Amino acid sequence: MLRNRIGIILVTALAPAVWGTTYLVTTELLPPGRPLLAGVVRALPAGLLLVLLTRRLPKGIWWLRALVLGALNIGAFFALLFVAAYRLPGGVAATVGAVQPLLVAGLAAGLLGERLTLRTVLSAVAGVAGVSLLVLRAGARLDGLGVAAALGGAVVMAAGVVLSKRWVSPAPLLATTGWQLVAGGLLLLPVALLVEGPPPAGLTARNLLGYGYLTIVGAAVAYALWFRGIRALTPTSVTFLGLLSPVVATLVGWLALGQDLTPAQGLGGAIVLGALVTAQLRRPRRRVTAGPDHVGADHVGAGRATTGTGAAGERPSGGAGTVARSGTGGLAG
């Protein structure tokens, strides 16, 4: 079970690692000044591809839920990220966005009954401090609207992560991922047309390569891995993995673009990784020594703890249910 859980964490971590390469792809391969178009191309074609592959459409309440989750996880998040990126230095936006694990921990405690522990809070604070050392620059200017947009992006994404755990779709994972990508892309499309105008004519082969990477790898594959992780792990555990994005972005900038890497950034990266690993640790289970007369009661208590993951809206079925039954509630503490 432990190896299975570690494997799921590592596979889920691939998603934010891939997202950390988005800056390189955007600056080196895509036409300049079109971040919203990049968001639409990243989400909508990938979603349509997954829907076509799975041949599953939402049913009943899932039309509304897919729209809400798509708006939170993709459409509204991309739009707010666009505003923050244009009004703030990248380091400020990333630092504000790093509060997301703390927001998810609070929402999961209120909506899913997860235990909010001191270790989780300290790990989240350490994550923000580490990201600030990693990406924040001296003299960075602050803009009220930009900070609000960055914080709003963290809030909507946090809400999307928690609701994705609470609302477990009966459809296959790829179908549910496709619904959200389509919904988010469709919501973002009119915003992109209004703000940026129609797509530029004469896209180059480099542009098409960049858009293809964002569509297939950055959306279809990455979001499927991300939502799979949310099904199998606690939202708090998953969202801490998102701190990998600025770490990977910094390393890619250093390796591929020749950007400087200072000792302070190295320290920040180490703090982020330490916070990330600490957040994945599980509380040790108490050993209860009991006589034969108490064995039955102990088994009943264990059974209650096992089924308690249902409070998160998760059905213990398949691989995700197996991991949930192995004690995912301990991940938050």
Side-chain angles (χ1 to χ4, degrees):
M1 282 298 186
L2 179 60
R3 289 182 180 178
N4 187 32
R5 178 175 169 274
I6 292 175
I8 292 174
I9 290 174
L10 292 176
V11 171
T12 306
L14 291 175
V18 165
W19 295 333
T21 65
T22 301
Y23 174 77
L24 176 68
V25 173
T26 301
T27 56
E28 299 300 308
L29 299 179
L30 301 187
R34 295 299 183 105
L36 288 177
L37 173 63
V40 173
V41 174
R42 180 179 170 186
L44 191 54
L48 292 173
L49 176 63
L50 292 179
V51 171
L52 287 174
L53 287 175
T54 57
R55 298 183 180 181
R56 291 286 296 269
L57 292 176
K59 294 182 179 179
I61 190 63
W62 270 99
W63 284 101
L64 177 59
R65 288 181 175 180
L67 180 63
V68 172
L69 292 176
L72 293 174
N73 287 318
I74 296 155
F77 175 67
F78 282 179
L80 290 167
L81 198 62
F82 159 78
V83 175
Y86 264 72
R87 301 188 69 95
L88 294 173
V92 175
T95 301
V96 175
V99 304
Q100 185 179 311
L102 189 58
L103 296 173
V104 168
L107 288 173
L111 296 177
L112 306 179
E114 275 191 25
R115 185 182 175 193
L116 180 60
T117 66
L118 179 61
R119 186 178 69 185
T120 299
V121 173
L122 293 178
S123 296
V125 172
V128 175
V131 170
S132 67
L133 283 174
L134 189 66
V135 299
L136 201 58
R137 298 292 176 266
R141 61 180 178 81
L142 295 180
D143 174 84
L145 182 58
V147 171
L151 184 58
V155 169
V156 298
M157 186 65 170
V161 168
V162 174
L163 286 179
S164 295
K165 182 69 173 182
R166 186 177 178 88
W167 296 338
V168 180
S169 170
L173 174 67
L174 290 182
T176 307
T177 303
W179 302 343
Q180 294 189 50
L181 288 170
V182 170
L186 289 176
L187 290 172
L188 196 59
L189 178 59
V191 180
L193 292 175
L194 181 64
V195 175
E196 298 178 353
L203 293 175
T204 66
R206 289 172 61 88
N207 298 154
L208 296 176
L209 177 63
Y211 284 131
Y213 176 84
L214 291 181
T215 297
I216 303 300
V217 181
V221 174
Y223 272 103
L225 295 178
W226 183 250
F227 292 135
R228 178 179 181 267
I230 293 174
R231 285 192 177 190
L233 305 168
T234 64
T236 303
S237 177
V238 172
T239 196
F240 268 97
L241 298 176
L243 296 176
L244 280 174
S245 285
V247 175
V248 171
T250 302
L251 289 176
V252 168
W254 175 55
L255 293 172
L257 302 178
Q259 296 175 349
D260 292 335
L261 187 63
T262 66
Q265 287 180 293
L267 176 61
I271 292 174
V272 169
L273 294 178
L276 189 155
V277 171
T278 302
Q280 309 305 318
L281 298 178
R282 299 164 62 180
R283 286 184 296 114
R285 293 181 179 180
R286 288 184 182 177
R287 242 182 204 186
V288 180
T289 304
D293 293 340
H294 298 285
V295 171
D298 290 340
H299 280 297
V300 171
R304 286 173 184 164
T306 300
T307 57
T309 55
E314 181 175 359
R315 285 184 184 173
S317 61
T322 303
V323 176
R325 289 195 295 272
S326 69
T328 55
L331 291 174

